[in-house]
Structures are given as structure tokens and as C-alpha cells.
Amino acid sequence: MPERIAIIGLGLIGGSVARGLRARGHEGVLVGCVRTPADADRALALGLVDEAGTDAAVAVAGADLVVVAVPIGAMADTLATIAPALAPAAAVTDVGSTKLSVIAEARAGLGERFARFVPGHPIAGTEHSGLEAGFAELYAGRRVILTPTAETDADALATVTGLWHGLGARVTEMGAAHHDEVLAATSHLPHVLAFALVDSLARMAERTEIFDYAAGGFADFTRIASSDPTLWSDIVGANRDAILPVLSRYIGDLETLRAAIEQGERAPLMDCFGRAKQARDRFTAARGG
Amino acid sequence: MPERIAIIGLGLIGGSVARGLRARGHEGVLVGCVRTPADADRALALGLVDEAGTDAAVAVAGADLVVVAVPIGAMADTLATIAPALAPAAAVTDVGSTKLSVIAEARAGLGERFARFVPGHPIAGTEHSGLEAGFAELYAGRRVILTPTAETDADALATVTGLWHGLGARVTEMGAAHHDEVLAATSHLPHVLAFALVDSLARMAERTEIFDYAAGGFADFTRIASSDPTLWSDIVGANRDAILPVLSRYIGDLETLRAAIEQGERAPLMDCFGRAKQARDRFTAARGG
Ligand SMILES: NC(=O)c1ccc[n+]([C@@H]2O[C@H](COP(=O)([O-])OP(=O)(O)OC[C@H]3O[C@@H](n4cnc5c(N)ncnc54)[C@H](OP(=O)(O)O)[C@@H]3O)[C@@H](O)[C@H]2O)c1
Ligand SMILES: NC(=O)c1ccc[n+]([C@@H]2O[C@H](COP(=O)([O-])OP(=O)(O)OC[C@H]3O[C@@H](n4cnc5c(N)ncnc54)[C@H](OP(=O)(O)O)[C@@H]3O)[C@@H](O)[C@H]2O)c1
């Protein structure tokens, strides 16, 4: 494991990297970067890192590994800020939920250091955010997708792979475009749907007590609608090209179901619901319950 | 609490009534009705009821209270079957997820006994079904909606209210049409959306490993898509008139979001996601976490 690790952004994702490294006995120095002196103090008080500040260039100086864990909307600036301060041998990785957009920003921002950049995305998270949202075991048994480019140095890739293995995660490599398509379907689209549903009902609810009669299924279904609106507006903007086709397809599927319901046809509902249950039950079994 | 209680259908909902009565020390006789002799034996072996059989008319004979806990699609037949066998003073209730449809079926099936019928719906459930799905505490602290009609006898209403209070539930009364609208929004629509999403992805997934990269948010969001397809096709059919407007409205909201995403507009996303998070966080707070 690298001796000195800098983590830019200590929210759910970055904070969990810090906590995980601590919990698993990492012996090197952890440096954190946040946006306000008050948060830097709080990060130290929480024991997340050994050193904390608000200047990303200062944070990365001398680091062997830099983990950029800021929102998608802050990636470009952060990468450009740290570029001149990076040690020549430093490996840099990110945790952003979209990969083509971050790769383009890293190419522009890191310049000749781009080969040391390993694009990454841990498939783990909750609806919470901020300094206190993280926990050491967030990545245990979860997948991390790395999307190295043709230019990515093999030893930077090995360093970043080692980081995630050290946190208990399983690492998979795939192309960035493929990553963005898969995540559009399994993560970005569900977030859009959940936000849209809760908003739709909340606007109806001005006149009714609708949420009073929502049961456990509703709570589960809408949990992701408690996620951070800024973070998710950024993600949807950044992965627009992959999200639009799955969203359009989904709207088309809903139109078909609506027509069947309108015409009192039962077979299309049974087919759709039946296939869905089968797929969902297989998914549950594959996850081990 | 009534001395002799017959429960028709011992799946998640009926089985939980039986288990809850047992666990809370009900001292009368519990009679269960299922569809096969094998299930009747299993219900006795599981200790769900004291007597079990496959003939609903036999099960209700002499009962003070009858709880009809069969799927929506089986309500009409079941109510017509039990009508001639009911004791004059028996109260009858159901647990169906839609109320106008069941009330119409009860009026037709129960005839002059209709005044003894108390339409009900416990706002509690899971995605599981069958004899072993129930548990004693399913209703503890949860709401039950009763939708009595102008004809409903006050003492039948009191008996059924007492049943649910005895299971730890909170009882609310409202009109059946209002119930159907509220539940269309908070339960039936989310089920349709979750089934449709998993089906949509499953059909894409023939060529990809899409579900392998789904995280916890996806698991929560799609849990209700593991619900029973027959039960839910029945519910959607029975509550068609209330579901169609909320589904249409939701599709319209998605179209608006899609257009915003397509045009790269960020403000409509921030507005929608922000309002949703606020409403969802209020909902979480109201439920006590
Ligand atoms: N949430 C998930 O489920 C999830 C899952 C996988 C990957 N991700 C990705 O992980 C990244 C971080 O998300 P998160 O959930 O950890 O969010 P978060 O809890 O809000 O944490 C973001 C952190 O970055 C800081 N930050 C924001 N702008 C910054 C800037 N310009 N310079 C330095 N620090 C800045 C934030 O500080 P403030 O508190 O001052 O804003 C906060 O410490 C995002 O790129 C996201 O796409 C998220
Ligand atoms: N699931 C929920 O979350 C939920 C929540 C609130 C209300 N409800 C309502 O509760 C009712 C029951 O749902 P559930 O979730 O308990 O389903 P379930 O677990 O499938 O149980 C239904 C039970 O009824 C039996 N049954 C089916 N057709 C019958 C018939 N013609 N005569 C006698 N018994 C019959 C079933 O036997 P077999 O095993 O032989 O089919 C089973 O024992 C439905 O009306 C539903 O709308 C459900």
C-alpha cells in the first residue's frame, strides 16, 4: 500500500476510503482535503485523516496516491488544480459515477500526467452524504470498476487496484463507454425515476395526506430520492448520452403498459410483471439473498 | 376479541393475522381455509390455526369474525361462497389492496349480509407470499385503512377495528374512492414502475452483464418487483381508474425531464430532484427514521 495517500473530498465515498484504510490497519499517512477550515478541523477530530486542509495542491504534494472523491461537477477544477503539484511517480484515481466525462476532464486537466490517472468507480453507496456519512466497510465485498485507457500506466493501475483490494472490494476492468451504459441503466435511470416519482406525488400531496399511507415498499422504492440533488444533476448531465436511450426506452415501455391497463388487457401485465419477478429473484439469488 | 375467527387465505397477509393473534395471546379458536389439503396440513403443522380445511363455507360456519385474505382476483368467488354459510351476527372483513372493486363484489356476493361487511386494507406487506411468508409483527405500528359504506353496521365496524388494534395496528377510516386514489399513487404506481424497470433492463441484459453492476440503491428500488405477478396484475386491473391518471401524469413528468436532459438544461433537474429529496426526507422523519 502506498505510504502517503491524499484524499480530495471526505464525503460518503472519500470518507469511507479513509475510514476503511484506518480500520484495515494502513500504516502510512492519510491527507484529506475539504472545502472549509471548519470541515478540516472536523475531519481531524473525527480521526478520518492525519493531516487536513483546504488546498488540494498542498494536499497532494508528496503523495504516492491521490484519490479524487469530489462531486462530478468539481472534478475538472480539482484535477487541474492538483496537476502541477503531483509528484512524478504519484498515481491518481477518481471515484466518479460517470467515466467518459471524467476521463475527458482528466486528459485536459492533468496534461502530461494523464498516463498516471486511473479512472475508477466503486459500485457502493448510500443516499447519505457529507463528512459523517462514510463507514469503513462500505466497500467490503462490493465491486469497483476501473476503466483504464490505452495510455494508462500499468503500475498506476496496479497501485489503484491494490488500494481497492485493500478495502475488501473486487476490482473489474471495462471500457469507459461500456461502464457509462451499464451504470445509466442500473443506477442513473433508477435515481431519475425515484426523484421524479417522489416529486410527482409531492406536488399532488399539497391537497392530500398521500405519504401518510405509504408502506415499506414505498420507503425502499424511494430511498434513492433522498440522494443529493446537486450530485445527481451533475451525474445526469455528465452521462446524458447513455441515459437518454434507456430513459426513452423505459418511457416507451410505460406507454405500452398504460395502453394495456387502459384497454383492460391482463396478459401484457402478467408477462411484464412475471419476467421482472424472475429477473429480480435471480438478481437476489446472485447477490446471496 | 371474537371467540371464533375464520381466516380465508393464509398467505402473507392472512398468515400474519393468524400469527399475530397467536403471539398476542388470542384465546379463541382460529379456523383457516386454504386451497389444497396439503396446505391445510401444513398450516396446522406450522401452528397457524386450530382447524384448517379447503372449503370456505365450512370454515366460516359458526365464526364470529371472518377475515377474507385471498388475492383480489379471488375475492368475488370467495365472498359468494361464504355468504350462505355466515352466522347472522358474523362480521366479515377483507384485506384487499383495492377497495371500490371489493365493495362492489361484496355487495353482489354477500347480498343481505353486506351490512356486516367492513372493507379493509392493512398498509403493510413485503414482496413475499405464501404460507410461510407471514410474521406476527407485520401489523405492529402500521396503519390499517377501513372504508365502511353508509350501510356498514356500527358493531361490525367496531369488531374489525378491535381485531386490528389487537394486532398492534393503527386504524384510520376513509372513503373507498379516496383510498383507491391514495394507494394508486403510493403503492400501485411504484409497483408498476419497478416491474417495468426490471423487465426493461432484463430484456437489454440478454446481451450484457447489467445486473452484475447494480448496487444497493438498485436492490432497494426494485425489491417490490419481486412481488407476485398474478396478485399485482389483479390489483392493477381492479384499480385501473385510479392508476391511469397518476401513471399518465408520471409519464408526462418523465417526458419533461427527458427533454431537459436532452437540451442540457440543469435547472429543471435541480428543481425536481431538490423537491423530491425534501419530500422524501420529510417522509423519513415522519416515519421516525
Ligand atoms: N453517493 C454515491 O452513492 C456514490 C457512489 C459511487 C460514486 N460516487 C461518486 O463519488 C463522488 C463523491 O460523492 P459522495 O457521495 O462522496 O458526495 P459527498 O458525500 O457530498 O462528498 C463530496 C465531498 O467532496 C467535497 N467537495 C465538493 N466540492 C469540492 C471541491 N470543489 N473541492 C474539494 N472538495 C470538494 C465535499 O465538500 P462539501 O461538504 O464542502 O461540499 C465533500 O467532502 C462523486 O463524484 C460521485 O459521483 C457516489
Ligand atoms: N402483499 C402485500 O404486500 C399486501 C399488502 C396489503 C394487502 N394485500 C392483499 O392481501 C391479499 C392477500 O395477499 P397476500 O400477499 O397474502 O398473498 P398470498 O401470500 O399469495 O396469499 C394468498 C392466500 O390466499 C389463498 N388463495 C388464493 N386463491 C384462493 C381461493 N380462491 N380460495 C381460497 N384461498 C385462496 C392462497 O392460496 P395458494 O397458496 O393456494 O394460492 C394463499 O393462501 C390480497 O387481496 C392483497 O391485495 C397484500
Side-chain angles (χ1 to χ4, degrees), chain A residues 184-262:
Chain A
T186 57
S187 172
H188 311 166
L189 176 61
H191 277 80
V192 170
L193 302 183
F195 279 127
L197 177 71
V198 176
D199 181 38
S200 201
L201 300 197
R203 282 180 292 129
M204 290 171 59
E206 280 153 33
R207 291 159 304 128
T208 69
E209 70 295 33
I210 232 157
F211 292 109
D212 294 351
Y213 299 102
F218 182 80
D220 286 341
F221 185 76
T222 59
R223 180 161 298 117
I224 52 181
S226 277
S227 302
D228 184 59
T230 307
L231 196 86
W232 281 94
S233 298
D234 289 346
I235 290 172
V236 171
N239 202 26
R240 194 181 93 147
D241 294 344
I243 292 170
L244 281 172
V246 288
L247 176 55
S248 296
R249 179 183 171 135
Y250 181 73
I251 293 174
D253 288 348
L254 280 189
E255 297 278 15
T256 304
L257 278 179
R258 178 175 65 176
I261 296 170
E262 203 153 33

Side-chain angles (χ1 to χ4, degrees), chain A residues 30-127:
Chain A
L30 296 184
V31 188
C33 174
V34 290
R35 289 204 292 182
T36 63
D39 272 359
D41 290 345
R42 211 148 62 92
L44 291 172
L46 288 166
L48 290 181
V49 288
D50 302 300
E51 303 172 16
T54 58
D55 185 332
V58 170
V60 305
D64 306 299
L65 172 61
V66 177
V67 180
V68 183
V70 301
I72 285 293
M75 287 285 176
D77 277 358
T78 304
L79 291 164
T81 302
I82 64 173
L86 289 170
V92 182
T93 190
D94 79 308
V95 298
S97 304
T98 67
K99 298 273 54 82
L100 282 177
S101 71
V102 174
I103 288 172
E105 292 167 348
R107 197 185 295 278
L110 293 178
E112 61 191 16
R113 296 293 167 75
F114 178 66
R116 307 292 303 162
F117 178 69
V118 182
H121 178 204
I123 310 300
T126 73
E127 71 279 21

Side-chain angles (χ1 to χ4, degrees), chain A residues 249-250 252-254 256-257 268 271-272 275-276 279 282, chain B residues 195-208 210-211:
Chain A
R249 179 183 171 135
Y250 181 73
D253 288 348
L254 280 189
T256 304
L257 278 179
D271 290 351
C272 166
R275 282 190 306 256
R282 270 200 309 273
Chain B
F195 280 128
L197 177 70
V198 176
D199 181 37
S200 201
L201 300 197
R203 282 180 291 127
M204 291 172 58
E206 280 153 32
R207 291 159 303 128
T208 69
I210 233 157
F211 291 110

Side-chain angles (χ1 to χ4, degrees), chain B residues 9-13 35 69-72 74-75 95-97 121-122 124-126 129-130:
Chain B
L10 290 173
L12 172 67
I13 299 298
R35 289 203 292 182
V70 301
I72 286 293
M75 287 285 177
V95 297
S97 304
H121 178 205
T126 73
S129 54

Side-chain angles (χ1 to χ4, degrees), chain B residues 12 14-15 24 30 32 46 65 117 122 124-125 158 162 164 166 201-202 205 209 212 216 250 259 278:
Chain B
L12 172 67
R24 286 162 184 261
L30 296 184
L46 287 167
L65 171 61
F117 178 69
W164 291 114
L201 300 197
E209 70 294 32
D212 293 351
Y250 181 72
Q278 263 189 13

